[in-house]
Amino acid sequence: MDSEKLKIAVLGGTGNIGEGMVLRLALQNLMAEGVKNEVIIGSRSREAADEAAKKALSELENCGFDTSETSVTGSSNLEAAQVADVVILTIRFDHVLPLLNEIQEAIENKILITPVVPMVKEGNLFVYKPPEEGSAALAIQKRVPSSTKVVAAFHNIPAGKLRDIVKCKAVHDAIVCSDDEEAKKLVMELTEHMGCLKPLDGGPLKQASTIESLTPLMINLARLNQLKDLGINFS
């Protein structure tokens, strides 16, 4: 699979993380040489997805980009998954399993990226609450076809930094975990093309629990210390 010519579906692409992911993926076509990916926003509402696609293109144009060189369209979650080579789940954990049931056949032999974090709010803070499998990534792997290549990535990336498409330099590290080395490599290449992230190999999928658990910690640190858009840098 060519990382520079992909159809990428962002399911739940009308939410904060989804919107930022769509902008960065669309920006790849305008900033990275040779990259010509198609971005498909998936939503429960096709109308909402269409509006999100128009909004993304408008934001790119307002930043001075010629959007004739990129492709962002809207669709239902199922239809987006059916036509995509790579599917990204930018939805809450409690909505993941019903969606996986809906798109089972559509994700066979495809790469499925999960930035999903199972967490709950207790008082004013968030707590990591993994399922019995140990992580959202492992729970997802258990419920998809055996041919689906599950990759855990983008958990600790603040939505505000993804959406800030004016800043194109690498500002945060993005840890990528998978049991499939080829799928991991492709996602790391995709991440590097986003312009705001530096991909790091995080090992097999079982390591995803450690990465997922950092997200509530970062949110709590931001709230307790009046900080904004915290990310991870290991250098």
Side-chain angles (χ1 to χ4, degrees):
M1 190 181 295
D2 187 347
S3 65
E4 297 181 348
K5 294 181 181 180
L6 297 171
K7 292 183 178 180
I8 306 171
V10 183
L11 307 190
T14 56
N16 285 337
I17 292 292
E19 287 180 353
M21 192 70 64
V22 167
L23 284 172
R24 287 292 173 176
L25 292 169
L27 192 62
Q28 289 183 354
N29 294 343
L30 308 175
M31 302 295 291
E33 185 177 352
V35 176
K36 294 298 175 187
N37 295 327
E38 294 181 34
V39 184
I40 308 124
I41 299 174
S43 175
R44 287 175 293 181
S45 164
R46 173 185 279 275
E47 291 73 19
D50 285 336
E51 285 302 312
K54 293 176 184 176
K55 180 181 177 182
L57 291 171
S58 177
E59 288 192 34
L60 289 167
E61 289 171 356
N62 290 338
C63 290
F65 293 104
D66 179 5
T67 57
S68 65
E69 296 298 319
T70 193
S71 174
V72 182
T73 57
S75 187
S76 69
N77 282 324
L78 176 58
E79 290 171 334
Q82 286 172 333
V83 300
D85 303 302
V86 175
V87 177
I88 307 176
L89 300 172
T90 59
I91 59 177
R92 287 169 42 181
F93 179 67
D94 51 353
H95 295 157
V96 165
L97 301 187
L99 177 59
L100 291 178
N101 289 335
E102 179 185 351
I103 65 173
Q104 279 285 310
E105 293 184 6
I107 56 176
E108 289 186 2
N109 298 303
K110 295 182 180 180
I111 294 175
L112 183 68
I113 303 174
T114 165
V116 179
V117 176
M119 59 184 178
V120 296
K121 193 172 183 182
E122 294 185 358
N124 292 322
L125 300 177
F126 284 90
V127 177
Y128 182 55
K129 287 285 187 179
E132 62 181 12
E133 291 84 1
S135 68
L138 291 177
I140 288 167
Q141 185 182 53
K142 183 178 178 180
R143 290 166 174 82
V144 298
S146 59
S147 63
T148 304
K149 305 169 184 67
V150 179
V151 181
F154 309 129
H155 305 89
N156 315 129
I157 312 302
K161 290 288 177 65
L162 279 178
R163 290 184 57 83
D164 189 359
I165 56 176
V166 175
K167 295 181 180 178
C168 294
K169 63 180 181 179
V171 292
H172 290 309
D173 293 326
I175 306 168
V176 184
C177 300
S178 181
D179 295 334
D180 188 293
E181 291 300 321
E182 288 188 8
K184 184 197 296 182
K185 180 182 178 182
L186 186 141
V187 173
M188 292 180 71
E189 290 175 359
L190 194 66
T191 302
E192 194 162 15
H193 288 155
M194 285 186 183
C196 66
L197 304 175
K198 183 177 73 175
L200 295 175
D201 189 336
L205 200 66
K206 66 181 180 181
Q207 295 296 113
S209 59
T210 303
I211 314 307
E212 291 177 5
S213 67
L214 293 176
T215 298
L217 169 64
M218 292 165 59
I219 294 173
N220 294 339
L221 286 173
R223 289 188 172 211
L224 292 170
N225 296 278
Q226 291 76 54
L227 300 172
K228 187 179 180 181
D229 292 335
L230 285 185
I232 291 178
N233 293 88
F234 291 101
S235 57

